[in-house]
Amino acid sequence: MNNSPTTLFDSYEQDFQQFIETIRPKLEGNAEEPADQRKASLRRVEMELDEADEMASRSQIDCDSCSFIGPQVSQMEIEIQGIPQSIRAQYQSRLRTAKADLARYKKLFKDSQAQVARSDLFSSKAGGFSSSDDPYSDNSDRSRLLAGTSLLEDGSKRLQESHRIALETEDQGAEILMNLRTQREQIENSRNTLYTADSAIDRASGTLKKMIRRMYQQRLVTAAIITVLVLLIGVIVWEKFS
C-alpha cells in the first residue's frame, strides 16, 4: 500500500469531495420545497456535519476559527507538509479550493437554518404563537434557538478576534515605547558626550591662548635683550675707535 503524502492527500481530497456531494443537494435544494422536507434535509445535513466534527475531534484536530471543519480538510493540511516543495504549490491550490468549498457550504447551511427559522417565526406570528414539546414539530422553537446560537457564536468569534487584535496592538505599542526609550537614552548619552567634548575644547582653547601670550612675551623679552646687546656693542665699538 502506497502511503506517500501525495497519495494520502488525494485520498482525503476524494473523501472530502464525496462528503460535499452528499450534503450539496440537501443544501442547494429547491427553494419551493415544503417546509417539512426542507427541515428534514437540514437536520440530515446537521447530523452529517456533527459527525464530521466528532471525527475531527477524535483526530485531535484544533479548530478554534470555525464551528466545524471536515476531518479530510484537516488531514489534507497535515499531509501537505510532507509533499516536496517542487510540487507543493498545486496541492496548496487544491487545499485552498477545498477550504473555500467547506466555508461556502458552511455559510449556506447557516443561511438555510436562518431562513427556516425566519419562516417559522413569521408563520407563528401569522397563525398565533404556539410551542410543542416535540423538538421537530412545525411550531418548535428549536430552529429559532439554533439561529440565535449561530448569531451568538458569530458575535463571540468577532469579540475574540477584536481581543486578539487589541493584544497585538498592545504588544506593538509596548515595543515602540521600548524603542523610543532606548533612542532617548542614546540621545542623552550623545548630548552628555557633546557637553564633555565642549568643555574639553574650552579648556584646550584657554591653554592655547595662554601659550600664545607667553610666546609673545618671550619674543618681546628676547627682542629687548637683543636691542640692549646691540646698543652695548655699539657703545663699546664707538668708545674703542674714538
Side-chain angles (χ1 to χ4, degrees), residues 115-134:
Q115 183 178 5
V116 171
R118 285 194 297 270
S119 299
D120 288 343
L121 181 61
F122 292 150
S123 62
S124 64
K125 287 182 178 180
F129 179 81
S130 63
S131 61
S132 174
D133 294 335
D134 183 5

Side-chain angles (χ1 to χ4, degrees), residues 100-117:
D101 290 340
L102 184 61
R104 182 165 63 89
Y105 284 103
K106 169 188 171 183
K107 184 178 183 301
L108 181 60
F109 172 71
K110 289 186 176 181
D111 292 342
S112 300
Q113 275 190 326
Q115 183 178 5
V116 171

Side-chain angles (χ1 to χ4, degrees), residues 20 25 31 34 55 59 73 76 88 93 133 139 145 159 166 192 207:
I20 292 297
M55 291 173 61
S59 300
V73 175
M76 289 163 65
R88 184 179 296 180
S93 176
D133 294 335
N139 295 325
L145 291 175
L159 287 175
N192 294 333
T207 303

Side-chain angles (χ1 to χ4, degrees), residues 134-214:
D134 183 5
Y136 300 110
S137 65
D138 293 338
N139 295 325
S140 174
D141 294 335
R142 184 173 185 271
S143 298
R144 289 188 291 274
L145 291 175
L146 288 175
T149 302
S150 176
L151 291 175
L152 288 175
E153 289 178 353
D154 292 340
S156 177
K157 291 173 187 175
R158 287 193 292 268
L159 287 175
Q160 291 176 358
E161 182 68 15
S162 300
H163 181 65
R164 183 185 63 81
I165 294 174
L167 290 178
E168 291 180 353
T169 304
E170 183 180 357
D171 293 338
Q172 293 176 356
E175 184 177 356
I176 292 173
L177 289 176
M178 184 64 67
N179 292 334
L180 290 175
R181 180 179 178 181
T182 302
Q183 293 176 3
R184 178 184 177 184
E185 291 177 353
Q186 292 176 351
I187 292 173
E188 289 179 350
N189 292 333
S190 300
R191 185 178 61 184
N192 294 333
T193 302
L194 288 175
Y195 285 157
T196 303
D198 187 56
S199 299
I201 291 173
D202 289 340
R203 290 195 298 269
S205 177
T207 303
L208 289 174
K209 289 179 180 179
K210 291 179 181 179
M211 293 175 64
I212 292 171
R213 285 198 301 268
R214 290 179 181 177

Side-chain angles (χ1 to χ4, degrees), residues 84-109:
Q85 291 287 348
S86 58
I87 60 174
R88 184 179 296 180
Q90 56 180 329
Y91 286 91
Q92 288 177 336
S93 176
R94 290 161 60 179
L95 177 60
R96 287 193 295 269
T97 301
K99 287 183 177 181
D101 290 340
L102 184 61
R104 182 165 63 89
Y105 284 103
K106 169 188 171 183
K107 184 178 183 301
L108 181 60
F109 172 71

Side-chain angles (χ1 to χ4, degrees), residues 10-53:
D10 293 336
S11 175
Y12 288 125
E13 184 182 27
Q14 184 178 1
D15 293 340
F16 173 74
Q17 293 299 330
Q18 292 176 356
F19 174 73
I20 292 297
E21 292 297 329
T22 301
I23 66 174
R24 175 185 292 142
K26 300 171 186 176
L27 292 176
E28 297 179 350
N30 186 3
E32 303 298 330
E33 186 179 12
D36 293 341
Q37 295 182 8
R38 186 61 175 166
K39 290 180 183 179
S41 298
L42 291 178
R43 284 198 297 271
R44 286 193 294 269
V45 171
E46 183 180 10
M47 288 187 292
E48 291 172 357
L49 293 175
D50 289 341
E51 182 180 357
D53 191 22

